[in-house]
Amino acid sequence: MSLRRRRPAGAPRTGTPADLLVVGLGNPGEGYAGTRHNAGAAAVEALAGRYGGHLRRRARIPALTDEVRVEGRRVALALPQTYMNASGEAVRKLTVRFGIEDLQRLVVIHDELDLPTGRVHIRVGGGLAGHNGLRSIRDHLRATSFARIRIGIGRPPSAAAGADYVLSRPGSRDREVLAAAAATAADAAEAIATDGVERAMNTFNAR
């Protein structure tokens, strides 16, 4: 009886590479669901829901994943299941798993303190603004040239309250604003998949 060898975690993809990999940053578990820091994860969940995607563990990679078709493009969706500060561990393995060699085909959706609550902004590369998830991705990929969809969560009342603020659940008004922003961020990811990042930036950053 022959034994079939398992492909190791992060092994190169043997099928057609994804046209785009969209990663939503957040912390895993129900205890973090709905917090400001999970705004990126909420956007990917919204995008998956539009296309009947089911985000679940499928390989020995610490992430929930699925692939959907967006106007004929193969779009891989992922939610790292490491904690935020170790997001890069999952993202590095995901880029290998989905055949993403050009980081222009990687989109990371994340919360952003430097934007007003609900504002959605696309950028490629640039500074990390102290975001630990982005820092971890940079350290593992040794690059920051990936596209980012930033979801504004506003600033806490004081700098000392930063950690508690991002890990808290917003009140009803901000919760509605952030839910709308997650939908807009999903729109932006669709636009990047179909029209490219430059055209998507022109559309969404002018709002």
Side-chain angles (χ1 to χ4, degrees), residues 26-200:
N27 286 305
E30 289 299 319
Y32 294 99
T35 62
R36 292 177 173 88
H37 221 18
N38 276 39
V44 166
E45 289 169 345
L47 185 56
R50 293 179 185 180
Y51 293 91
H54 299 284
L55 295 159
R56 58 180 182 267
R57 292 288 284 266
R58 300 170 190 273
R60 290 184 295 169
I61 294 175
L64 307 181
T65 66
D66 200 5
E67 290 185 56
V68 299
R69 290 275 185 172
V70 179
E71 294 190 16
R73 275 78 169 181
R74 300 170 68 99
V75 178
L77 307 176
L79 300 179
Q81 295 299 284
T82 55
Y83 285 92
M84 179 69 83
N85 293 4
S87 297
E89 174 189 346
V91 172
R92 179 180 57 80
K93 292 178 179 179
L94 287 163
T95 58
V96 175
R97 169 68 182 83
F98 291 106
I100 305 298
E101 296 180 357
D102 179 0
L103 290 184
Q104 295 288 312
R105 291 162 47 212
L106 169 63
V107 177
V108 177
I109 310 181
H110 63 90
D111 59 302
E112 178 64 70
L113 286 166
D114 288 338
L115 291 175
T117 300
R119 173 80 184 277
V120 173
H121 184 273
I122 305 170
R123 73 185 300 175
V124 177
L128 308 182
H131 194 291
N132 289 332
L134 294 176
R135 183 181 293 114
S136 177
I137 294 171
R138 177 203 62 193
D139 292 347
H140 280 80
L141 298 183
R142 298 184 179 181
T144 58
S145 54
F146 49 89
R148 294 157 49 186
I149 301 176
R150 308 155 68 208
I151 300 176
I153 60 171
R155 282 282 177 184
S158 68
D164 290 338
Y165 178 77
V166 298
L167 294 176
S168 67
R169 292 182 174 86
S172 58
R173 181 181 178 280
D174 280 357
R175 186 164 58 246
E176 292 177 3
V177 171
L178 287 173
T184 300
D187 294 342
E190 287 178 323
I192 293 173
T194 58
D195 301 326
V197 68
E198 292 296 332
R199 289 186 64 182

Side-chain angles (χ1 to χ4, degrees), residues 14 25 34-35 200 203:
T14 57
L25 298 189
T35 62
T203 298

